[in-house]
């Protein structure tokens, strides 16, 4: 059988006709068969940005992560939330978005276009490595010069992400950013986004003592250089509707397979969290403004869960209907997430931020993001923190910051899963009807069979570095918890 190495195809695909006009609906590309076929950097950038929504909503990494984090549970075809083997392929990320961004880099239209392409690559690599662990990085996207890329260690990838982001942040100039449908070519916004990503990556590796100096320096640099601080600076994809509908709208397009989990609604109910008014809706119909706090019990076999939803027809769909419009948005990095990551970094002693100041700013930004007013002192006091540092994973400080990070990152499953795997907060009970032998919550995706068939030596070298082998119970590099 012919082997196809999809993650090495830079320069092979995604060539667009030269007569492209960027329109309001994410850039409409008209291919002229008679035109010279050549990559158009602005169209490639628009194409990648238009597809980013899946990474924070319904893409495999996010929707599965959201189930392992117990944001969501399945209502029809229980499998992922029962911990079926997550043998997923990552090659689509390489052959698609990462490749298109590499084409922009290879074309080198100007410094700022290359910087944005590199920043977006690091965002995607971050999600990929967090989901599988070791993956191709330094030797990926080299085209025919290397069709068998090694799997870099996650430590190497994390440090590479930080280095690449720092270089990009420091090398922006006055050149135009064409095809940018997220920030409209605004350099200051891209610097803030890149610094925010740098901070989140640094905080994620905080439990690895051997890399703490690298992480702490990166976090401090990011905050000093300038991160996202207000919701009007958020890194999000705003869909225009029509041909480009929100990924959240598509989730219930003729189906209703997912629900907000009772795990989350129990937390919001027990603390009188006003954000629940936006987190769950009683109908899958887009635009419906009626909320629901009837979370579906997590991790149940199909007949049990359908019995519950039949008896409770107003069970909570993911997001209230007016947050699932065709012309809705998908949040990728929010001010709330950044402020709460700053609180965690301050608690680690990495920055001069006040822990309580950053913490309260994060919760306040999250309430504002969801349009539910200002959090009361009584609400915040249920999750108290002080300016006295306590970085112990079993400490109250880490528990409360992490729990608020978990709530405020909803419904981004990648972020929720990351927070729980790293800290163990909130404390999650595995699926009652789990089908895997260990009955444990999934800690990583398993490498696809196609990887063994096409790049066997390198995937086997990566597997040899995993304690427990290529298992969904094995931990990625930064997941140092023993439980």
């Amino acid at each position: 059988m012919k082997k196809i190495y999809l993650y090495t195809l830079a320069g092979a695909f995604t060539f667009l006709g030269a007569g492209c006009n960027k329109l309001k609906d994410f850039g409409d590309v008209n291919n002229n068969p008679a035109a010279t076929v050549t990559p158009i950097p602005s169209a490639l950038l628009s194409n990648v940005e238009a597809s980013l929504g899946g990474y924070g909503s319904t893409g495999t990494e996010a929707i599965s992560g959201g189930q392992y984090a117990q944001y969501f549970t399945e209502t029809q075809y229980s499998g992922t939330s029962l911990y079926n083997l997550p043998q997923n392929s990552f090659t689509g990320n390489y052959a698609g978005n990462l490749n298109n961004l590499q084409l922009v880099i290879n074309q080198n239209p100007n410094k700022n276009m290359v910087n944005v392409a590199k920043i977006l690559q690091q965002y995607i690599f971050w999600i990929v490595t967090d989901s599988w662990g070791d993956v191709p990085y330094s030797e990926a996207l080299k085209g025919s010069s290397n069709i068998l890329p090694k799997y870099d260690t996650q430590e190497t990838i994390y440090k590479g992400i930080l280095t690449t982001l720092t270089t990009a942040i420091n090398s922006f100039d006055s050149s135009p950013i064409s095809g940018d449908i997220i920030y409209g070519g605004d350099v200051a916004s891209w610097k803030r986004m890149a610094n925010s990503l740098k901070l989140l990556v640094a905080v994620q590796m905080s439990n690895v003592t051997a890399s703490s100096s690298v992480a702490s320096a990166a976090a401090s640099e990011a905050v000093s250089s300038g991160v996202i601080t207000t919701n009007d600076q958020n890194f999000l994809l705003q869909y225009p509707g029509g041909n480009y509908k929100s990924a959240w709208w598509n989730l219930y397009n003729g189906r209703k397979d997912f629900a907000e989990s009772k795990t989350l609604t129990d937390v919001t109910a027990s603390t009188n969290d006003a954000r629940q008014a936006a987190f769950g809706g009683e109908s899958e119909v887009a635009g419906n403004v009626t909320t629901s706090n009837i979370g579906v019990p997590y991790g149940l076999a199909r007949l049990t869960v359908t019995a519950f939803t039949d008896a409770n027809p107003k069970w909570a769909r993911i997001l209230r209907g007016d947050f699932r419009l065709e012309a809705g948005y998908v949040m990728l990095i929010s001010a709330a997430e950044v402020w709460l990551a700053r609180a965690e970094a301050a608690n680690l002693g990495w920055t001069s931020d006040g822990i309580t100041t950053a913490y309260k700013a994060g919760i306040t930004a999250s309430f504002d993001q969801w349009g539910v007013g200002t959090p009361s002192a009584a609400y915040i006091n249920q999750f108290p923190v002080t300016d006295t540092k306590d970085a112990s994973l079993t400490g109250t400080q880490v528990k409360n910051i992490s729990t608020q990070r978990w709530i405020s990152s909803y419904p981004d499953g990648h972020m929720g899963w990351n927070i729980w795997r790293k800290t163990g907060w909130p404390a999650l009970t595995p699926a009652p009807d789990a089908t895997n032998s260990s009955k444990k919550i999934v800690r990583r995706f398993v490498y696809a069979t196609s990887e063994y068939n096409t790049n066997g030596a390198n995937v086997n070298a990566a597997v040899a570095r995993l304690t427990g082998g290529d298992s969904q119970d094995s931990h990625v590099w930064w997941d140092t918890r023993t439980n």
Side-chain angles (χ1 to χ4, degrees), residues 325-384:
L325 300 174
E326 287 190 22
Y329 70 86
V330 170
M331 184 65 66
L332 300 173
I333 300 177
S334 70
E337 290 172 315
V338 174
W339 275 114
L340 289 166
R342 290 176 68 170
E344 184 168 337
N347 184 53
L348 291 163
W350 289 358
T351 70
S352 60
D353 278 335
I355 300 170
T356 57
T357 298
Y359 179 70
K360 291 177 181 177
I363 299 173
T364 300
S366 181
F367 273 58
D368 177 66
Q369 173 190 331
W370 294 107
V372 293
T374 303
S376 66
Y379 175 81
I380 293 176
N381 289 340
Q382 295 175 93
F383 303 91

Side-chain angles (χ1 to χ4, degrees), residues 225-242:
S225 180
V227 294
I228 292 168
T229 58
T230 60
N231 284 320
D232 62 346
Q233 299 170 349
N234 287 341
F235 180 53
L236 60 82
L237 184 64
Q238 178 67 57
Y239 291 83

Side-chain angles (χ1 to χ4, degrees), residues 303-319:
L303 292 180
T304 306
V305 73
T306 54
F308 178 88
T309 55
D310 287 346
N312 298 273
K314 295 182 179 181
W315 52 270
R317 280 66 169 174
I318 298 170
L319 299 176

Side-chain angles (χ1 to χ4, degrees), residues 5 9 39 51 65 87 131 161 171 177 197 304 330 350 398 472:
Y5 302 94
L9 293 178
S51 66
Q87 193 167 35
S131 300
I161 289 172
S171 62
I177 305 172
L197 176 57
T304 306
V330 170
W350 289 358
V398 170
Q472 65 196 60

